[in-house]
Amino acid sequence: MREPGRPPVVGEHPDPAAGPDRMTVRVTAAPVVPLDLLCASGTSYFGRPAVPYVPGVQGVGVVEESGVLPAGTRVWFATSAGMAPGDGSLAERCAVPDADVVPLPDGVADPAVAALGLSAVAAWMSLTWRARLQSGETVLVLGAGGAVGQVAVGAARALGAGRVVALCRSDAAAERAARAGADEVVRTGGDVAALAGRLGAACGGAADVVVDPVFGEAATAASRVLAPGGRLVNLGGSGADTAEFSSAALRSRSADVLGYTNNALTAEQRAGALTAVLGHAAAGALGVEHEVRPLDRGPEAWAATAAGGVRQVLVPA
C-alpha cells in the first residue's frame, strides 16, 4: 500500500525479522477483508496509516523463527497492519507478536481457516458472549450471505438454536445463507414495516437473538420483532451507520441492544473462539465460501472485496 485510498500493488518489500516477543511466519493463506480496505482508506477512525506498508490483518502460516513455538508449527495469526505502524499478512512472510498467534489443529485446510478467521470469531462471540444464546432460541441473522453471517447461521445451528432465519439482499447472498443452514431466507426490500412483518412471520412471531453486521433499516426492522428479553448484537454497519429504535418497543420487551468488537477480546478469548469454530468447521457444521487467488493477483482480490463479492483468500504464487 503506497497511498491511502488507492488500491495496493504487488511489489518487493523488506523481509520481516523476528525480535523480542515476535516471530516470523511463512504465510500460506491470507484473506482480504473489509477491515483491510477500511484501514487502507486513510479516512477511518484508525487514522491515516504510515505508508508504504503491507496490508492484511490476519493470516495462516508456518512458524519460521520463534522463541515460543517450534519451527514448522502451523498457526493462525493477527496483525495491526493499517491500524498501527507495521506490515501485515498479504505477503510471503510476516513478523507477528507472539500473543497474536494461535497454533492450529488439523482438519481444516489453510485457505478455509483464513476465510473463517476474525469473521468467525466475531460471529461466535456475538452469539455466545454478548447474546448469551440458549438452546432452542430463535436466531435472526442480518446480512447472512456475508462471511460473518454465514458463520453466524452455522454457529447458531451448532449451538442448538431452535430456528435460524437469514436476511439477505441479493440472490447470491440468499443462496449462500441457505447453504449455510438457514431455515428460511428473507429478502430485503419495501418499507421498514413490511420488512418487519416478513421477518416476524419467518421467525414464528419473534426472534430471541439478532446478529447484526448491517445496521440501518435492517436493524430497525429486526428490533421490532425482538422477543421479550431479546438481544440485538450489532457488530458492523455495512448498510448504514445509524438505525432508528422505538423506545416503547425496547422497554415493553426489556430488550437489549448490544455492541460488539473483536478488539474488546483478550488473546485467550480470541484463541478459544477460533479453536471452537474450527472444531465445528472440521465437522462440516460451518464455513465461509471463498475464492482462492495467487498472491500476485492481490489487486484483483482487493477489487472483488470492495465490490462486495465472496471472501477472497490469497495463497503463495
Side-chain angles (χ1 to χ4, degrees):
M1 179 61 60
R2 301 193 184 281
E3 183 180 346
R6 298 185 62 83
V9 297
V10 178
E12 296 296 321
H13 196 67
D15 276 343
D21 301 321
R22 293 179 69 85
M23 67 180 72
T24 54
V25 175
R26 176 173 56 81
V27 182
T28 57
V32 180
V33 299
L35 180 57
D36 294 320
L37 276 64
L38 176 65
C39 292
S41 69
T43 61
S44 78
Y45 50 84
F46 299 113
R48 184 179 175 88
V51 291
Y53 77 98
V54 176
V57 297
Q58 57 185 307
V60 178
V62 177
V63 173
E64 286 190 330
E65 183 179 353
S66 169
V68 295
L69 290 175
T73 301
R74 180 171 170 258
V75 297
W76 173 90
F77 63 91
T79 85
S80 57
M83 295 174 274
D87 295 320
S89 61
L90 303 183
E92 295 174 318
R93 299 172 69 241
C94 188
V96 190
D98 295 343
D100 291 331
V101 173
V102 179
L104 291 174
D106 295 329
V108 184
D110 290 4
V113 175
L116 286 161
L118 291 171
S119 295
V121 168
W124 184 265
M125 294 300 282
S126 292
L127 287 165
T128 59
W129 181 45
R130 295 299 278 157
R132 310 176 304 280
L133 176 65
Q134 301 298 307
S135 179
E137 289 189 319
T138 296
V139 176
L140 169 59
V141 181
L142 311 185
V148 171
Q150 290 173 62
V151 178
V153 169
R157 180 75 63 210
L159 289 163
R163 183 169 179 77
V164 182
V165 175
L167 177 66
C168 297
R169 180 170 57 186
S170 69
D171 291 341
E175 291 167 2
R176 289 193 294 269
R179 288 192 292 268
D183 291 302
E184 186 170 345
V185 180
V186 176
R187 298 295 294 274
T188 58
D191 61 25
V192 170
L195 178 56
R198 297 198 302 275
L199 291 175
C203 290
D208 299 292
V209 171
V210 177
V211 178
D212 170 32
V214 178
F215 221 49
E217 290 189 351
T220 298
S223 73
R224 297 183 183 181
V225 301
L226 284 170
R231 291 87 71 199
L232 185 153
V233 182
N234 174 259
L235 59 158
S238 62
D241 189 53
T242 59
E244 183 177 296
F245 300 126
S246 162
S247 173
L250 296 177
R251 289 184 292 110
S252 65
R253 300 166 191 168
S254 295
D256 293 340
V257 177
L258 305 163
Y260 174 85
T261 172
N262 279 338
N263 291 336
L265 301 180
T266 65
E268 291 75 18
Q269 284 177 308
R270 185 174 60 192
L274 183 63
T275 300
V277 164
L278 292 179
H280 290 292
L286 54 80
V288 171
E289 296 185 18
H290 56 280
E291 180 178 5
V292 178
R293 299 178 189 257
L295 182 62
D296 59 9
R297 292 177 59 191
E300 296 174 30
W302 193 272
T305 302
V310 71
R311 174 59 43 95
Q312 300 290 304
V313 176
L314 300 181
V315 299

